[in-house]
Amino acid sequence: MGYDTNNIRNVVLLGHPGSGKTTLAECMLFEAKAIPRRGSSTAGSTVSDYTNLEKERGNSVFSSLLHAIWKDSKINIIDTPGYDDFVGEVISALKVADTGIMLLNARSGVEVGTELIWEYIESFKTPAFFVINHLDHDKADYESTLEQATARFGNKVIQVQYPLNPGSDFNTIVDALRMTLYVFPKDGGKPNKEAIPPEEMERAMELHNALVEAAAENDEGLMEKFFEAGTLTEEELAKGLRIAIAKQEIFPVFCCAAEHNMGSGRIMGFINDVCPSPAERPPALLDDGGELVCSTDNDTTIFIYKTISEPQVGNVSYFKVYSGVLAAGDELHNAVTGQTERFTQLFLANGKERTGTKEVRAGDLGVTLKLKDSHSNQTLYGNGPKHNIEPMHFPESRIRVAIEPPGKAEMEKLMKALHIIEEEDPTLRVEQSQALKQTLLHGQGQLHLDLIRYRIEKVNGIHMNFIRPRISYRETVTASTDTTYRHKKQSGGSGQFAEIHLRLEPYHEGMSDPEGLTVRKKETEELPWGGSLAFYWCIVGGSIDAKYANAIKKGILQRMEEGPLTGSPCQDIRVSVYDGKMHSVDSNDTAFMIAARMAIRNAFKDAGPQILEPIYDLEVLCDADVLGDVMGDLQTRRAMISGMDAEGHYQKIIAKVPQAEMYQYSSTLRSLTQGRAKFNRRFAEYSPLPYEIQEKLMASYEEEEVEA
């Protein structure tokens, strides 16, 4: 039997690397008696970090689904990686979670990874609470961490607990919700419950009253009882706090020392008693603007939030049942592909361990194997109305590399392996660029791509080297020039003849017709790579038959696809064909295409040729103490810094940077800031390349052309 929707809790562990998410997950499973002993990340023995890659690295790379039974509830726990290179794992977990647990490191306070994740918590409108961990560290600073959290996330941050003795001797927590003192044995585990010391009673009561008021404010009935009695019962408190958390009116704060298993049991109790069930969350949004209530009474609808490929198993699909009941043997329809899938086996997961189950009910998370045509971010529905859950939206890539091409046979195997990983990881994009003549990988950071390479080499046995990707330049002109080109070829029999007189000039929308020419026909074509070609037919008197106009335009487009300066695409030019000659026998489409190509090539260099480079908007978030280093590095990258701002207690740098200067920026920024910075970028515009760099590129291209 599956678990009732009201008794399911879906929580996701979030936080900067090193905040202790995986260690806390072990404690939660251990306290719930789901595992007989606690593993450790350093020993590679945790339930959630079960892949060889994670065991070797000693930290999380993939999200992992766990579950435990606590009192009447099934608590699903998704452990996520902390590095923002793996933000896709965080987004997919937040999509299906009903509560976020944000871990803060008491040694370091609110770190940059916390800032990044919080943006997604706000985007998903996920209820959340904080756990300040590592309170047993000799440099733990609870008050500073709490102050930073309040400064960044506002007065909704409200203490449920505070530590009495943070530091290497930590073992005592004051719980202001239950008005109890928890004193832990030396090795952690179940604490003794004692009375709060008199000297702490004033602070504890002040926090307790704040919690009572927060609970009462969100329910009229509770508010009336609060005014009548001056307080609320524990059951009433739980009800009010559940509403307040669900509305993101409060973000409670708990204390923990996960390394020594102090505080995890109380966190599990709070999840059970106060955190919202799937039934208490707002209906899921559908891509057509509709809504779907999480209830077993509705037709079955599931959403696949994660897919992995396992050797000897194939595709493993992780899903959430958004409505209805999914039973083993059921058939559902894919809302994206239209294909029908049969769910022959259903499982509940604890890391790599999977336990078979007959059904998974609304709100619960489950696993199935070997779906043929269904992947991450897709909805499947039963025989009722077609539902399509609004898909997840992932950030644009922040880094790209080119793959050094191996042999043809190896390349085919490599591309197959990469596309399998691409299906698993929506933040990875594989591009076979015809314009650059390279295979590109787009990812979230150098670590992200390095681990893709590691997986390819370890699992598939294919060696893969990364090289610097070429830049997608554009070519245009800045001045007007007239040119003439005659193509004449005689090789026995009929030959080829075409002569073209044309004007080449820069083009912008709304410009007036060319001076001194009579325009017979004009066409403006939007180019696949961006920009436009304006083609004007200005022939008077029939010197060239109009039937050759399309061939001439085709020749121009061929030359524009591989421009004369660097072989890059051309854009935003106007070509006016105003004179020429033809031959009654030797003129044909091919001759005029060749003449047009050569005329454009010759004219380009006399029309103020200009290479345009892609410019990206860049935002960097970093600590103030590394601001100078980050700024200095950007200046070496030809960055135009347009602004600076404070975001929380971080500094935000806003700049425009050429794509050519962004190579390996992820690694450099991590090195400069010891990982205490993040960045995002997005394409902004094409901008003229500095003269010196343009001359070098043109000279290099000419050398390549000569050698070819």
Side-chain angles (χ1 to χ4, degrees):
M1 283 290 293
Y3 292 86
D4 184 74
T5 306
N6 291 308
N7 292 331
I8 292 170
R9 305 287 184 271
N10 297 314
V11 302
V12 54
L13 300 178
L14 307 161
H16 191 86
S19 57
K21 302 178 292 297
T22 299
T23 305
L24 177 59
E26 287 292 303
C27 293
M28 294 167 79
L29 295 180
F30 178 72
E31 286 297 311
K33 296 181 172 55
I35 54 175
R37 65 184 66 84
R38 292 184 297 129
S40 75
S41 296
T42 52
S45 56
T46 62
V47 176
S48 57
D49 289 353
Y50 62 86
T51 67
N52 291 334
L53 178 57
E54 290 170 312
K55 289 179 180 180
E56 286 183 24
R57 287 181 50 82
N59 55 38
S60 301
V61 173
F62 309 104
S63 65
S64 184
L65 176 60
L66 319 166
H67 75 275
I69 308 304
W70 190 271
K71 297 182 180 176
D72 297 327
S73 296
K74 180 196 178 204
I75 301 177
N76 291 313
I77 305 162
I78 306 178
D79 182 22
T80 64
Y83 288 105
D84 61 347
D85 289 53
F86 311 119
V87 68
E89 301 286 337
V90 172
I91 291 171
S92 62
L94 274 167
K95 174 71 174 177
V96 297
D98 300 306
T99 304
I101 304 176
M102 178 69 80
L103 271 73
L104 303 178
N105 189 332
R107 293 172 288 176
S108 311
V110 175
E111 298 172 273
V112 70
T114 314
E115 302 267 0
L116 174 70
I117 295 165
W118 196 259
E119 292 176 10
Y120 291 109
I121 286 177
E122 291 179 329
S123 173
F124 281 105
K125 297 180 172 59
T126 306
F129 66 89
F130 292 96
V131 173
I132 298 180
N133 190 24
H134 296 299
L135 288 166
D136 51 347
H137 194 274
D138 56 4
K139 293 184 179 179
D141 191 337
Y142 171 83
E143 298 299 337
S144 174
T145 302
L146 178 67
E147 184 180 331
Q148 290 176 30
T150 304
R152 173 59 185 90
F153 308 115
N155 293 327
K156 294 179 180 181
V157 175
I158 183 168
Q159 296 176 82
V160 171
Q161 299 178 329
Y162 66 91
L164 207 56
N165 56 340
S168 54
D169 296 326
F170 170 73
N171 72 334
T172 307
I173 295 173
V174 176
D175 191 305
L177 181 58
R178 290 187 170 173
M179 291 302 290
T180 301
L181 188 75
Y182 294 112
V183 181
F184 293 88
K186 183 178 179 181
D187 296 326
K190 189 174 182 179
N192 293 321
K193 298 177 183 178
E194 300 180 7
I196 296 173
E199 62 271 19
E200 295 296 326
M201 187 58 73
E202 182 179 350
R203 179 180 179 182
M205 280 304 303
E206 184 179 335
L207 296 177
H208 180 79
N209 290 336
L211 288 166
V212 172
E213 288 179 21
E217 284 174 359
N218 287 278
D219 185 284
E220 288 186 12
L222 292 179
M223 181 65 79
E224 290 178 8
K225 289 184 179 180
F226 175 62
F227 282 132
E228 290 174 6
T231 188
L232 297 175
T233 66
E234 188 171 330
E235 187 176 307
E236 291 166 344
L237 254 176
K239 177 186 175 184
L241 291 176
R242 184 179 298 115
I243 297 170
I245 289 175
K247 291 181 177 179
Q248 287 192 320
E249 292 293 329
I250 61 169
F251 302 114
V253 177
F254 284 81
C255 296
C256 183
E259 193 70 36
H260 289 97
N261 191 21
M262 297 180 183
S264 59
R266 178 70 180 98
I267 292 169
M268 292 287 277
F270 185 80
I271 293 169
N272 177 82
D273 298 340
V274 176
C275 289
S277 72
E280 294 166 314
R281 298 287 293 127
L285 296 177
L286 304 177
D287 69 345
D288 62 1
E291 294 182 340
L292 181 63
V293 174
C294 185
S295 169
T296 54
D297 295 333
N298 294 332
D299 294 310
T300 304
T301 302
I302 76 163
F303 180 81
I304 301 174
Y305 70 91
K306 178 182 172 72
T307 305
I308 60 174
S309 179
E310 291 186 359
Q312 286 83 49
V313 176
N315 281 349
V316 181
S317 302
Y318 291 77
F319 61 86
K320 179 176 184 176
V321 179
Y322 273 84
S323 65
V325 179
L326 178 65
D330 281 357
E331 290 187 347
L332 300 182
H333 314 293
N334 190 308
V336 177
T337 67
Q339 298 296 315
T340 299
E341 299 277 11
R342 183 176 176 83
F343 289 73
T344 55
Q345 295 175 291
L346 300 176
F347 302 92
L348 305 179
N350 249 335
K352 68 178 179 181
E353 300 297 328
R354 301 182 187 118
T355 306
T357 183
K358 292 182 179 179
E359 64 179 29
V360 184
R361 301 173 71 82
D364 206 354
L365 306 182
V367 184
T368 192
L369 308 177
K370 299 180 180 179
L371 295 182
K372 294 178 181 179
D373 297 297
S374 298
H375 306 285
S376 297
N377 226 4
Q378 294 182 345
T379 301
L380 292 96
Y381 63 98
N383 293 322
K386 177 181 177 180
H387 290 141
N388 193 10
I389 305 291
E390 183 182 26
M392 299 176 280
H393 303 285
F394 297 94
E396 291 184 18
S397 63
R398 295 176 296 170
I399 184 176
R400 63 177 197 145
V401 295
I403 300 170
E404 187 175 54
K408 184 177 180 181
E410 287 284 288
M411 193 64 181
E412 289 177 1
K413 288 171 59 182
L414 174 59
M415 292 307 297
K416 183 178 179 181
L418 283 172
H419 285 306
I420 289 174
I421 297 177
E422 188 179 25
E423 284 186 358
E424 296 178 20
D425 183 354
T427 64
L428 175 73
R429 184 163 65 88
V430 182
E431 177 192 3
Q432 291 183 291
S433 173
Q434 292 183 344
L436 300 181
K437 298 179 176 61
Q438 287 183 314
T439 299
L440 304 176
L441 290 187
H442 302 261
Q444 294 300 309
Q446 192 63 47
L447 178 59
H448 183 205
L449 296 183
D450 284 344
L451 291 178
I452 298 295
R453 176 169 55 189
Y454 175 95
R455 292 178 64 187
I456 292 290
E457 292 179 349
K458 286 285 186 181
V459 176
N460 302 95
I462 304 170
H463 186 63
M464 180 171 65
N465 283 331
F466 292 154
I467 57 176
R468 186 169 191 147
R470 300 185 182 107
I471 303 300
S472 183
Y473 293 111
R474 297 290 184 266
E475 300 179 13
T476 192
V477 295
T478 60
S480 176
T481 188
D482 287 15
T483 192
T484 299
Y485 188 85
R486 174 181 286 187
H487 173 66
K488 186 175 182 180
K489 184 179 180 182
Q490 195 73 39
S491 56
S494 60
Q496 289 185 351
F497 179 84
E499 184 177 310
I500 294 177
H501 298 221
L502 60 78
R503 180 175 298 171
L504 175 66
E505 56 192 329
Y507 171 76
H508 62 83
E509 191 175 348
M511 68 189 296
S512 58
D513 287 348
E515 289 185 18
L517 301 181
T518 301
V519 179
R520 299 293 190 184
K521 182 182 179 183
K522 49 180 149 181
E523 301 175 32
T524 303
E525 182 163 337
E526 298 299 316
L527 302 169
W529 51 83
S532 305
L533 164 66
F535 179 70
Y536 286 18
W537 188 252
C538 305
I539 297 292
V540 178
S543 57
I544 302 177
D545 198 315
K547 70 180 182 179
Y548 294 123
N550 285 336
I552 293 171
K553 181 182 175 185
K554 188 174 181 182
I556 293 168
L557 285 168
Q558 287 177 350
R559 184 74 268 189
M560 289 183 70
E561 192 170 346
E562 192 169 329
L565 306 179
T566 61
S568 303
C570 305
Q571 65 181 44
D572 298 332
I573 64 173
R574 181 166 72 181
V575 180
S576 302
V577 181
Y578 60 86
D579 203 356
K581 293 180 182 178
M582 60 181 179
H583 189 277
S584 59
V585 176
D586 292 344
S587 290
N588 53 39
D589 283 350
T590 301
F592 275 102
M593 282 172 57
I594 293 171
R597 285 205 306 265
M598 299 305 293
I600 292 296
R601 188 191 72 168
N602 294 347
F604 230 83
K605 296 180 182 179
D606 297 324
Q610 178 67 65
I611 300 174
L612 306 173
E613 64 174 336
I615 304 294
Y616 277 72
D617 285 326
L618 177 72
E619 289 186 358
V620 183
L621 205 63
C622 64
D623 284 329
D625 59 352
V626 295
L627 181 64
D629 293 333
V630 175
M631 294 271 285
D633 175 69
L634 285 175
Q635 288 167 357
T636 69
R637 297 173 183 270
R638 296 194 283 125
M640 294 289 293
I641 296 171
S642 56
M644 292 178 57
D645 199 1
E647 189 165 306
H649 61 284
Y650 288 97
Q651 296 297 313
K652 181 164 72 172
I653 304 169
I654 304 166
K656 289 187 180 295
V657 189
Q659 185 187 45
E661 305 295 341
M662 289 294 292
Y663 183 59
Q664 294 187 333
Y665 183 67
S666 175
S667 299
T668 301
L669 184 64
R670 181 164 284 155
S671 176
L672 284 173
T673 64
Q674 289 77 52
R676 293 180 295 120
K678 67 171 184 174
F679 77 98
N680 61 67
R681 65 169 198 171
R682 59 187 175 276
F683 174 76
E685 61 192 356
Y686 273 93
S687 181
L689 196 64
Y691 177 78
E692 301 81 5
I693 300 176
Q694 174 165 316
E695 289 297 301
K696 287 181 181 178
L697 284 176
M698 289 172 61
S700 175
Y701 182 68
E702 285 181 6
E703 286 178 14
E704 290 176 7
E705 290 285 278
V706 170
E707 290 174 4

